[in-house]
Amino acid sequence: MNIKLSGPTIHLEGRFTFAQHGTFQRALSHLETVGAQQVRIDLSAVDFIDSAGLGMLLIARDVARERGIGLILRGARGAVATMLETASFDALFTLEAA
Amino acid sequence: MAPGAASAPQAQPTVLALDISARGAAAQGFAGLVCAAVEAQAGPVRDPEGMRLAVHEAIANAVQHGCLELGSDMRQTRAGHEVFAAVMLDRMATPGYGDRRIQLSADWAGGVVSISVHDPGPGYHPSTLASRATAGAKSGRGLAIIRSLAHEVVVSPDGRCITMRFLR
């Protein structure tokens, strides 16, 4: 998975599974230091997410909430969008279309 | 011809079987390779993405919980997640964990493709796992995802083997 941090947006690209745990730590560190009220995680370039990836998004949600940051998941498509729906993430995050 | 051989019912043959270490099965994209091999022989299934994800989740469970004997409870917090990752890396390299073998088998007939994943771990009692993960739970979601994607799921009574059936 590639990750690009640009201010209040975190762009993820590629596969998002447990194997990407180390890379995602950078996103969590960014959340801790970004100093924004709202942060978007852009999932439009993620083509595969599994249950471990969903779990990591929930950890990001905890980190954001501790700092009063609203976390938005943006642009999920295809199988990734289906996974978010199956896991009822619409009740846990703000979901935004691309 | 042996007596009775002509009329004996033929067992459904297993037409694809793999035996692989936990380390090998954890390689990125392995489930996709398995599903591609199955589809190359059996023809397309109705939901190839769903099959790939379900098989991926089943293999991840076999590796993490079966072979490496890692509980998923520790993944509920960021710190716990980091500990889980460190222990996983360590056990993957430890004889007796990472070199344990997972057996995959697949067969197909009529409108159904069946894929089984068997691990040598301690197993679990299937009734102890909820069929749907709690909203917001950071782990324990894999089996619920598999059930939502496969046409039918059977877990062996000892929890070591999961069989998933997908429609063609």
Side-chain angles (χ1 to χ4, degrees), chain A residues 54-68:
Chain A
L54 294 179
M56 285 188 269
L57 288 176
L58 288 165
I59 287 172
R61 177 173 172 262
D62 286 351
V63 170
R65 286 175 77 177
E66 284 164 13
R67 287 156 183 79

Side-chain angles (χ1 to χ4, degrees), chain B residues 143 146-155 162-165:
Chain B
L143 187 56
I146 293 169
R147 288 192 196 282
S148 76
L149 294 168
H151 176 63
E152 189 183 6
V153 177
V154 178
V155 179
I162 183 167
T163 300
M164 301 160 283
R165 299 196 173 93

Side-chain angles (χ1 to χ4, degrees), chain B residues 96-163:
Chain B
Y97 285 109
D99 51 6
R100 279 178 157 173
R101 314 294 294 186
I102 293 169
Q103 271 95 37
L104 290 107
S105 62
D107 56 64
W108 42 90
V112 175
V113 168
S114 181
I115 300 179
S116 296
V117 180
H118 186 273
D119 70 65
Y124 63 94
H125 199 288
S127 66
T128 59
L129 287 187
S131 59
R132 294 182 67 83
T134 312
K138 298 173 187 71
S139 62
R141 203 181 278 283
L143 187 56
I145 288 171
I146 293 169
R147 288 192 196 282
S148 76
L149 294 168
H151 176 63
E152 189 183 6
V153 177
V154 178
V155 179
S156 64
D158 64 5
R160 293 189 184 93
C161 183
I162 183 167
T163 300

Side-chain angles (χ1 to χ4, degrees), chain A:
Chain A
M1 181 170 73
N2 290 322
I3 185 167
K4 195 169 85 182
L5 309 170
S6 43
T9 304
I10 297 168
H11 297 268
L12 304 180
E13 184 188 329
R15 292 170 60 88
F16 191 9
T17 70
F18 191 78
Q20 282 73 47
H21 159 266
T23 306
F24 195 66
Q25 292 297 320
R26 288 179 53 208
L28 298 179
S29 300
H30 186 69
L31 267 177
E32 288 174 325
T33 55
V34 67
Q37 287 186 323
Q38 210 168 56
V39 171
R40 282 179 174 71
I41 297 184
D42 190 324
L43 298 170
S44 58
V46 173
D47 51 28
F48 186 86
I49 188 168
D50 69 352
S51 60
L54 294 179
M56 285 188 269
L57 288 176
L58 288 165
I59 287 172
R61 177 173 172 262
D62 286 351
V63 170
R65 286 175 77 177
E66 284 164 13
R67 287 156 183 79
I69 300 169
L71 196 58
I72 297 168
L73 302 183
R74 180 177 184 278
R77 57 188 177 76
V80 177
T82 305
M83 275 289 271
L84 300 189
E85 189 184 328
T86 304
S88 303
F89 266 32
D90 56 335
L92 301 168
F93 291 89
T94 302
L95 302 183
E96 207 174 73

Side-chain angles (χ1 to χ4, degrees), chain B residues 2-162:
Chain B
S7 58
Q10 294 295 303
Q12 174 66 46
T14 293
V15 287
L16 184 148
L18 282 171
D19 180 293
I20 188 164
S21 68
R23 266 195 293 277
Q28 181 160 308
F30 176 65
L33 291 176
V34 171
C35 291
V38 170
E39 284 202 283
Q41 304 270 343
V45 295
R46 286 193 200 174
D47 178 13
E49 290 276 343
M51 183 167 84
R52 187 164 63 116
L53 181 53
V55 172
H56 168 88
E57 293 287 346
I59 291 171
N61 282 343
V63 170
Q64 295 174 10
H65 308 314
C67 296
L68 305 185
E69 297 188 34
L70 292 163
S72 59
D73 289 352
M74 67 174 86
R75 281 194 286 164
Q76 294 299 318
T77 64
R78 183 182 182 185
H81 209 275
E82 288 177 33
V83 172
F84 183 94
V87 176
M88 183 169 167
L89 202 63
D90 181 62
R91 289 206 180 160
M92 201 63 102
T94 304
Y97 285 109
D99 51 6
R100 279 178 157 173
R101 314 294 294 186
I102 293 169
Q103 271 95 37
L104 290 107
S105 62
D107 56 64
W108 42 90
V112 175
V113 168
S114 181
I115 300 179
S116 296
V117 180
H118 186 273
D119 70 65
Y124 63 94
H125 199 288
S127 66
T128 59
L129 287 187
S131 59
R132 294 182 67 83
T134 312
K138 298 173 187 71
S139 62
R141 203 181 278 283
L143 187 56
I145 288 171
I146 293 169
R147 288 192 196 282
S148 76
L149 294 168
H151 176 63
E152 189 183 6
V153 177
V154 178
V155 179
S156 64
D158 64 5
R160 293 189 184 93
C161 183
I162 183 167

